[in-house]
Amino acid sequence: MRSKLFVPGIRPELFNKALAGPADAISIDLEDSVVASKKAQARDIISEFLLSEAVSTCLKTIIVRCNGIYTRYFKDDLAAVIRPNLSMLNLPKIESAKDVLSAVSLIEKIEQENAIVSPIPLLVNIETATGLRNVTEICAAHKRVAGLQLGLNDLFDSAGIDRDDKASVHSIMLTLRLAACEAGIKVYDGAFPDINNMQGFHAEVEMARRLGYSGKSCIHPNQVAIVNRLFIPAAEDVALAAQIVEAAEKAEIEGIGVFTVAGKMIDLPSIQRAKSVLAEYKRYINPQTTA
């Protein structure tokens, strides 16, 4: 998924609009956007939505962000949202492998109770200094961990770091990308808070793309088109990837391990990357594929 549109869990009038929109995924929130007095109501709304025909027939990735694992809301959140049509569960503020394993233990129990056959993957938020320090062990904690998501606002606010300091943003994003790469999972950039600063949003999407992120969260529908466009490989990159793959096939027949294309040295990692670019391009130019 390239674009993930954030939708407050207490705003059901926005759910179907999000389903009909261009975002690859929608992330329904039970955490920060829902006040304590409305959480039970939001759970019921989300549970009903997950069981609806609109969700069961859609091609989008459906994510729910629950409350933190040590809050009094967590167990009730899981009981409400672990349903057959839930694509991924988003866990906020994870700080250790122990956190992941504690969550998985409860998730497995509720899956059994709700007759869920396929284990629900986890999108794990890294948004504290402790979580960042332990990110490698978090990635390896359980096979359900399918991706990391960066929460810069929480992380920077707690540390007193200016959110506009690009060097700090780049450093943290690179750290998460390398941890995800080591674990063989995906990493997604979090939300950009200023919905009126489209130039800043555009720049951050470009940074995420250059660092090998798989997508970015959107908090406004106007941000989705930018993410979708920038996270499709550029035409020149696709053309070069096709040349590399074609040249690799010829080189293999001739027994050549390293060769050049357009003046660049090509080896096995370059070939694998080229194949990945082509696969990604084909996936996203097909309007029937959104995950």
Side-chain angles (χ1 to χ4, degrees):
M1 58 184 177
R2 301 160 298 176
S3 55
K4 179 167 68 66
L5 181 61
F6 176 90
V7 183
I10 200 66
R11 299 285 304 279
E13 72 276 11
L14 299 178
F15 292 1
N16 286 325
K17 288 183 179 180
L19 280 183
D24 293 336
I26 64 172
S27 180
I28 306 173
D29 183 50
L30 267 169
E31 194 199 15
D32 292 342
S33 69
V34 181
V35 298
S37 62
K38 296 290 186 180
K39 290 194 186 290
Q41 181 183 355
R43 286 188 203 105
D44 291 341
I45 290 170
I46 296 170
S47 182
E48 181 179 354
F49 178 68
L50 289 171
L51 295 173
S52 69
E53 183 179 358
V55 172
S56 64
T57 58
C58 82
L59 295 174
K60 293 187 185 296
T61 300
I62 307 298
I63 304 168
V64 173
R65 181 174 75 170
C66 60
N67 287 277
I69 65 172
Y70 297 116
T71 67
R72 60 190 176 94
Y73 310 111
F74 183 62
K75 184 174 181 179
D76 289 337
D77 286 354
L78 296 190
V81 307
I82 291 181
R83 296 288 183 266
N85 294 324
L86 180 65
S87 307
M88 186 177 288
L89 184 67
N90 183 201
L91 300 179
K93 299 177 178 65
I94 293 297
E95 295 190 322
S96 67
K98 179 183 176 183
D99 289 352
V100 174
L101 295 176
S102 295
V104 168
S105 178
L106 183 55
I107 291 166
E108 289 175 341
K109 179 180 178 181
I110 296 176
E111 283 177 340
Q112 292 177 358
E113 293 172 353
N114 291 351
I116 305 297
V117 177
S118 298
I120 295 172
L122 302 179
L123 177 62
V124 174
N125 283 12
I126 304 298
E127 45 193 330
T128 68
T130 303
L132 184 63
R133 173 166 52 83
N134 295 328
V135 65
T136 301
E137 72 171 53
I138 289 170
C139 289
H142 198 277
K143 61 184 178 181
R144 284 183 187 250
V145 178
L148 300 177
Q149 180 168 272
L150 178 58
L152 276 179
N153 286 342
D154 289 77
L155 177 61
F156 280 10
D157 284 348
S158 64
I161 300 173
D162 189 337
R163 181 67 170 76
D164 292 328
D165 184 67
K166 302 306 179 187
S168 296
V169 173
H170 184 277
S171 176
I172 300 301
M173 291 180 68
L174 179 60
T175 297
L176 253 68
R177 177 66 186 106
L178 292 177
C181 180
E182 181 181 359
I185 63 177
K186 296 182 180 298
V187 60
Y188 301 92
D189 196 12
F192 185 79
D194 187 352
I195 62 175
N196 294 316
N197 183 3
M198 298 306 287
Q199 182 177 0
F201 179 76
H202 191 285
E204 201 159 281
V205 176
E206 287 187 322
M207 183 186 295
R209 177 66 186 179
R210 289 196 304 270
L211 288 173
Y213 277 57
S214 294
K216 184 171 179 62
S217 295
C218 303
I219 57 174
H220 192 280
N222 289 343
Q223 297 176 334
V224 172
I226 295 174
V227 175
N228 283 351
R229 175 170 55 83
L230 292 181
F231 272 92
I232 292 180
E236 56 269 26
D237 294 333
V238 174
L240 178 59
Q243 291 180 43
I244 291 172
V245 171
E246 181 179 358
E249 292 172 350
K250 294 180 180 178
E252 183 175 0
I253 294 173
E254 297 171 3
I256 300 173
V258 178
F259 53 94
T260 61
V261 172
K264 297 180 180 180
M265 187 191 78
I266 304 299
D267 55 8
L268 183 58
S270 303
I271 297 168
Q272 292 173 335
R273 174 58 184 159
K275 290 180 178 179
S276 176
V277 167
L278 293 178
E280 183 180 8
Y281 181 73
K282 291 177 182 178
R283 181 166 70 251
Y284 285 131
I285 63 170
N286 181 352
Q288 298 302 314
T289 303
T290 59

